[in-house]
Amino acid sequence: MPEPVRLAILASGSGSNAVSILKHFQASTDVDVAFLGCNRPPDKAGIYDRTKPFGMETEYFSKADLNDGRLLNTLRERGIHWVALAGFLARIPEDFVRAFAGRMLNIHPSLLPKFGGRGMYGMNVHKAVIAAGESESGMTVHWVTEEYDQGAVVFQAACEVREGDTPETLADRVLELEHTYYPRTIAACIATTAS
Ligand code: GAR
């Protein structure tokens, strides 16, 4: 039997997508979530507590670790083949992008190319969608390139923006889509590239 693909998850915040990915691959023999990393320290991000029940420690890395190649070295040492960004809010350096070209996905809480780019992350996106009077929003899974939110789209799912929605209620609806579709999109992409 082939060895499982070793997947790293990088996050910055509450980690709900990281949890949905962990759950999806918990019993998988094809994919092993082998690294969980966060660029915010444990007192500033919920992911550390959230991932403990899965028997996995989330590891903190600094901006310098990301930009000086130390994180990339760590992932190489751990034999990581694939990366899923899950609410990761820092820019990925070019050498890191090249190292995982075609093997790194990101999730974004809008229907790209709408509401993407610099400054468009997390709640800012949902505020902008409501302020623009959009009737629908959703989530996008895309390949990671050097430019924010510009890699080719792999999968999108839409939901309505309802009358009276706040950024928080819209975020909840979009997150539900993310939790449903991101893990299975990762699995499908890995299955395609692994064969
Ligand atoms: C998610 O909605 C994700 O799409 C978004 O941050 C949230 C993280 O939630 N990512 C971006 O905005 C990236 N540009 P989580 O920490 O609970 O998974």
Side-chain angles (χ1 to χ4, degrees), residues 70-106:
R70 283 192 293 272
L71 178 67
L72 182 55
N73 282 341
T74 302
L75 297 192
R76 284 183 169 137
E77 279 162 20
R78 310 273 185 99
I80 298 298
H81 309 113
W82 256 87
V83 177
L85 305 182
F88 187 64
L89 304 183
R91 192 189 180 85
I92 301 280
E94 275 178 36
D95 56 341
F96 197 114
V97 172
R98 276 197 297 273
F100 288 101
R103 289 177 296 129
M104 178 157 49
L105 291 171
N106 183 38

Side-chain angles (χ1 to χ4, degrees), residues 131-167:
E134 296 286 312
S135 58
E136 67 166 12
S137 190
M139 55 78 94
T140 301
V141 181
H142 65 92
W143 295 107
V144 177
T145 61
E146 283 92 338
E147 297 306 315
Y148 271 125
D149 304 333
Q150 299 212 348
V153 170
V154 178
F155 181 86
Q156 290 187 306
C159 63
E160 58 178 343
V161 179
R162 294 184 193 149
E163 190 110 358
D165 256 339
T166 62

Side-chain angles (χ1 to χ4, degrees), residues 13-18 50 86-89 106-109 120-122 125-126 149 175 178:
S14 76
S16 71
N17 276 289
R50 262 186 139 139
F88 187 64
L89 304 183
N106 183 38
I107 190 157
H108 186 81
M120 279 294 161
Y121 58 84
V125 175
H126 306 301
D149 304 333
L175 263 182
E178 296 185 23

